Amino acid sequence: MALTRSNIFFIAFLVLLVSVFLAPNTYIHELFSYERFYNYTPRVIDSEHDINYIGLHDRGVEHFQNIFYAEDTSGPNRFAPPIPIQHPPGTLIDATSLGAFCPQGVGGPPLPFQSPITNISENCGNALGSAADQMFQPDGLVQQAKANHQPIIFVAINYRLGVYGYATSKALIDKKHANVGLRDQRVRRNIAAFGGDPENMTAIGQSVGASSIGLHLTSYRGKQGVPFQKAMFVSLPALLLKKHLTRRNQQSMMSGATGTNFNIMSPFMATNTANVARSLDCIPENSSPDSEETLLCLKNKSMEEINKYAISYPEDAKPRIGGP
């Protein structure tokens, strides 16, 4: 009997069908399972810098975590602007696990909307690392955006807090090393490799994050641009910032922020920086907290030594709620 191409296709399909029905149930499940079609290892190739990233896939969302964009900010890099990390060409980055939190208070009861913190490190200059707090899990948002045919890329960033990000003294100001916590807030360099548009970015900030957005918008009197095109505030009134926004720098008025968060106000941080230095014996005799010697001494202290005083002072100085 002569076999045509359609006959051969039908026989092959029939053999496959019979094989499936005769196969064990475990094989059938493996062949047609959700995991076979949807569980895979996502990869991103940054051709500009010759870097490969390996991520995780979970229920239709690709996760790339703990991606470092800056060198370790401890030691000589403490209180200094972030230094962009330079990976050797051909580097393969495992972005499948969470990173550390930037230095802050540990232990004790968590604040509202925050989780207890157990893992802190100054080497925390990453995106989608410890910023992945339960409150900010992006999966639902990403899935809904895709269903609405308006897909997004969600990026959560780490940036230095408290004295690590906003220490101030004459020595730091002379070096132009003030407000380094704000300088940490950059994602433009890597976003294009992940399919994002560096010219169409929306910043969303809650609490001190909202204050950071306000400070970006008003820095340099709004004349030097900001690292995003749109902003959403999730804290405090921001009506005073409306005049700083052009049509391109749109703002969604979700409460807003004034950019005057208590913990990063200049007079407070100057006092905090001096108190930490004094407590750690970093102010030489007949010298001042503003000296280069004091700054060098603070850079040589361990994170644990600085934390001992950098956190206790703001806790004692902050306005009390519900009492005298």
Side-chain angles (χ1 to χ4, degrees), residues 27-267:
Y27 175 79
I28 296 175
H29 173 76
E30 181 181 347
L31 185 64
F32 293 104
S33 68
Y34 173 91
E35 289 80 4
R36 182 178 180 86
F37 289 99
Y38 293 99
N39 271 9
Y40 60 91
T41 300
R43 294 175 179 265
V44 164
I45 299 175
D46 182 350
S47 55
E48 180 181 354
H49 303 98
D50 192 15
I51 300 173
N52 292 339
Y53 299 90
I54 297 177
L56 292 172
H57 180 270
D58 182 29
R59 293 170 294 180
V61 178
E62 295 179 350
H63 294 260
F64 294 88
Q65 304 173 104
N66 201 25
I67 297 175
F68 281 78
Y69 56 82
E71 300 285 352
D72 189 342
T73 57
S74 62
N77 293 337
R78 184 180 288 155
F79 313 132
I83 300 173
I85 195 167
Q86 301 293 333
H87 295 289
T91 297
L92 178 64
I93 295 178
D94 183 352
T96 60
S97 59
L98 298 176
F101 288 79
C102 292
Q104 55 198 278
V106 296
L111 294 173
F113 308 116
Q114 293 183 339
S115 301
I117 297 166
T118 57
N119 179 25
I120 61 173
S121 169
E122 283 190 83
N123 192 21
C124 62
N126 58 66
L128 277 184
S130 65
D133 186 275
Q134 185 174 3
M135 178 185 177
F136 302 106
Q137 288 292 333
D139 297 55
L141 178 64
V142 172
Q143 291 167 341
Q144 188 60 53
K146 181 181 178 182
N148 294 343
H149 304 290
Q150 296 179 321
I152 63 170
I153 297 174
F154 180 97
V155 181
I157 61 172
N158 275 0
Y159 54 92
R160 284 170 283 181
L161 308 168
V163 72
Y164 294 94
Y166 301 95
T168 185
S169 68
K170 186 177 184 301
L172 285 168
I173 293 173
D174 288 345
K175 293 175 177 290
K176 297 184 178 181
H177 286 186
N179 297 321
V180 295
L182 291 177
R183 303 191 200 188
D184 290 344
Q185 299 167 18
R186 298 288 191 274
V187 298
R188 279 182 171 176
R189 183 172 182 265
N190 295 320
I191 195 62
F194 292 84
D197 182 356
E199 300 303 323
N200 186 23
M201 297 173 56
T202 300
I204 305 175
Q206 185 263 335
S207 189
V208 69
S211 291
S212 295
I213 292 175
L215 290 170
H216 278 299
L217 290 170
T218 56
S219 62
Y220 305 106
R221 299 184 179 180
K223 296 179 179 180
Q224 294 194 19
V226 291
F228 47 82
Q229 286 72 44
K230 305 170 188 175
M232 298 175 66
F233 296 92
V234 194
S235 188
L236 304 179
L239 295 175
L240 294 178
L241 297 178
K242 190 172 183 180
K243 63 181 180 181
H244 295 284
L245 298 168
T246 65
R247 185 169 297 178
R248 183 162 178 76
N249 289 325
Q250 298 170 39
Q251 175 188 169
S252 177
M253 300 301 293
M254 288 179 59
S255 298
T258 60
T260 55
N261 185 279
F262 172 76
N263 288 326
I264 58 176
M265 293 177 66
S266 296

